[in-house]
Amino acid sequence: MTDIVETRGLTKTYKDGVKALRDVNLNIREGEILALLGPNGAGKTTLISTLCGIVQATGGYARIGGFDIETEYRSARRLVGLVPQEVVLEPFERVINTVRLSRGLFGKPDDKELIERILRQLSLWDKRKSRIKELSGGMKRRVLIAKALCHEPRVLFLDEPTAGVDVELRRDMWKILRELRETGVTIILTTHYIEEAEAIADRIAVVNNGEILLVEEKDSLMRRMGYKILRIELKEMLREIPEKLAEYNLSLADGGTTLVYIYDTMHDSTGITRLLQSISGAGLKLNDIQTTQSSLEQIFIDLVREDAA
């Protein structure tokens, strides 16, 4: 798969000395959805703003579609669509005119069929003559996406695209992004909703303190760094873990009626069989056993916590 975005040593240091980006090396494949995860102030928005030409890098370089974002700015910018975090739209303008104007700003001729197709895809066609101020928050975000798509970009950047949107509308937006990917559009999004990345991303990039901690296939990351939790419900309550079970690093939950055992999915031996034998040897009787898989959220928390240590 061809890389459509490439950065090497990309750095942004502000006048007050704050380093928002630190030697960022990143390759983004054509036609993928990449989720940028990181805590507030991690550098996600700065990275997107730099790639879109809103913020100027102080070191390194970046290319989009093979065009340098500084020396070949116009060519690189034509390939990019940006959906910003803040909803900034002319409140008294009509939806269809807002989208047409954005296309014209890129020097593109009016294309009624294209505009209609985009508005229908985003469920905005019935609202095309409505004024922006008459729309809900979710519909305004759809208008932002329509504006970003109207000049037919190959790369779409979305900064917190579903912030403040209810769960149902969020899932609708996920569907829209998947459909856009199917048309060949590369999508890079920042999000605070871990389930959003888990639901739609092909790869995950974890950002912290202006650095990329890792970039990996979502499924591979969850297999490699995931772990499972075994919850062993007991027939009787324990006040403390028996000495015979000390080696297993167990914890008590549910008021002492549940033993919790965490194990690495990548190890050849989970130790569960030996643990159950030891529990029986300690004279404990089981009521039920349940296993759950760690989520992407927990993996993300662990990575950021490890980076901060």
Side-chain angles (χ1 to χ4, degrees), residues 141-272:
R141 288 204 174 274
R142 290 173 187 247
V143 173
L144 289 176
I145 295 177
K147 278 167 53 68
L149 291 174
C150 66
H151 65 282
E152 302 167 90
R154 291 172 57 195
V155 183
L156 181 64
F157 290 94
L158 302 104
D159 197 2
E160 300 287 345
T162 59
V165 172
D166 63 55
V167 174
E168 184 177 353
L169 189 52
R170 192 181 305 157
R171 295 186 184 280
D172 287 344
M173 299 279 273
W174 295 352
K175 181 183 178 187
I176 290 167
L177 295 181
R178 291 191 193 99
E179 290 173 349
L180 288 173
R181 178 184 57 186
E182 294 304 313
T183 66
V185 177
T186 301
I187 298 170
I188 299 97
L189 64 93
T190 71
T191 180
H192 278 132
Y193 299 111
I194 304 295
E195 71 270 23
E196 188 158 72
E198 201 160 358
I200 65 173
D202 298 304
R203 288 197 300 160
I204 304 291
V206 178
V207 186
N208 197 31
N209 295 320
E211 297 179 301
I212 301 288
L213 300 187
L214 65 79
V215 183
E216 192 167 336
E217 301 284 345
K218 176 187 64 183
D219 294 340
S220 171
L221 176 64
M222 295 186 69
R223 284 194 305 269
R224 183 173 67 85
M225 301 194 67
Y227 50 81
K228 288 190 175 181
I229 303 170
L230 183 69
R231 296 176 64 86
I232 304 166
E233 185 181 330
L234 305 172
K235 288 187 178 294
E236 296 179 1
M237 184 184 73
L238 291 178
R239 291 185 180 277
E240 60 182 19
I241 296 171
E243 186 65 29
K244 290 184 177 180
L245 303 179
E247 65 175 291
Y248 295 100
N249 196 27
L250 299 168
S251 60
L252 282 174
D254 303 330
T257 60
T258 301
L259 288 171
V260 179
Y261 176 60
I262 299 176
Y263 60 96
D264 192 336
T265 59
M266 296 300 290
H267 285 177
D268 294 333
S269 176
T270 62
I272 292 176

Side-chain angles (χ1 to χ4, degrees), residues 17-55:
V18 173
K19 291 187 176 182
L21 297 177
R22 303 168 184 261
D23 296 322
V24 172
N25 297 312
L26 183 62
N27 289 71
I28 302 173
R29 304 165 186 163
E30 190 167 13
E32 76 168 333
I33 297 180
L34 176 73
L36 296 173
L37 297 181
N40 287 331
K44 305 185 300 296
T45 297
T46 302
L47 177 56
I48 281 182
S49 299
T50 303
L51 290 172
C52 291
I54 299 170
V55 170

